[in-house]
Amino acid sequence: SLLCDLCRQSVIFTSVQDLTACLECMSQDPDIVIVRVKNRLDRDYDVQVTAGYRDCGVNVRVVTREAEAMGVDTHVCELQLILDKFANMKHDEGHRRYVTFRNFRGE
């Protein structure tokens, strides 16, 4: 399946350093498998694609005994690591504008 964000959560940071530290902790955690990272904070990322919005999207699987016992250890969840200034853009009118922009692009 290509569906990778049925379960999605945002984590908001005040600095790039804190966001990076979180990503580093996740990469070291034996209970988490990082499936994919979409780094929309990269300077080379084409912001035209997202109307200027940026975040770091991390697809993960939780591989604990509990997750395996419930049969969800293969389930891919998305964590959106977001700087607070971009998180503020996602609310109310900013998000509506993004959805209109995305729909106009046919996504």
Side-chain angles (χ1 to χ4, degrees), residues 5-69:
D5 63 356
L6 185 63
C7 174
R8 179 186 307 150
Q9 185 63 45
S10 297
V11 183
I12 300 170
F13 299 89
T14 57
S15 73
V16 172
Q17 293 80 9
D18 290 342
L19 187 149
T20 304
C22 177
L23 193 54
E24 180 65 29
C25 284
M26 286 193 300
S27 72
Q28 301 296 322
D29 190 328
D31 292 338
I32 295 175
V33 172
I34 296 177
V35 177
R36 177 177 70 171
V37 176
K38 255 193 199 175
N39 185 4
R40 289 180 282 260
L41 294 170
D42 189 306
R43 292 177 190 201
D44 294 330
Y45 181 75
D46 181 7
V47 294
Q48 303 261 340
V49 174
T50 56
Y53 175 78
R54 291 176 177 258
D55 68 8
C56 183
V58 185
N59 294 121
V60 299
R61 290 188 307 112
V62 178
V63 291
T64 61
R65 283 188 207 155
E66 294 85 357
E68 186 177 349

Side-chain angles (χ1 to χ4, degrees), residues 50-92:
T50 56
Y53 175 78
R54 291 176 177 258
D55 68 8
C56 183
V58 185
N59 294 121
V60 299
R61 290 188 307 112
V62 178
V63 291
T64 61
R65 283 188 207 155
E66 294 85 357
E68 186 177 349
M70 292 188 294
V72 295
D73 56 311
T74 60
H75 185 90
V76 178
C77 305
E78 180 181 353
L79 289 174
Q80 295 177 326
L81 309 182
I82 309 172
L83 294 172
D84 57 355
K85 293 187 179 17
F86 289 106
N88 293 335
M89 291 172 56
K90 286 181 67 171
H91 298 293
D92 302 324

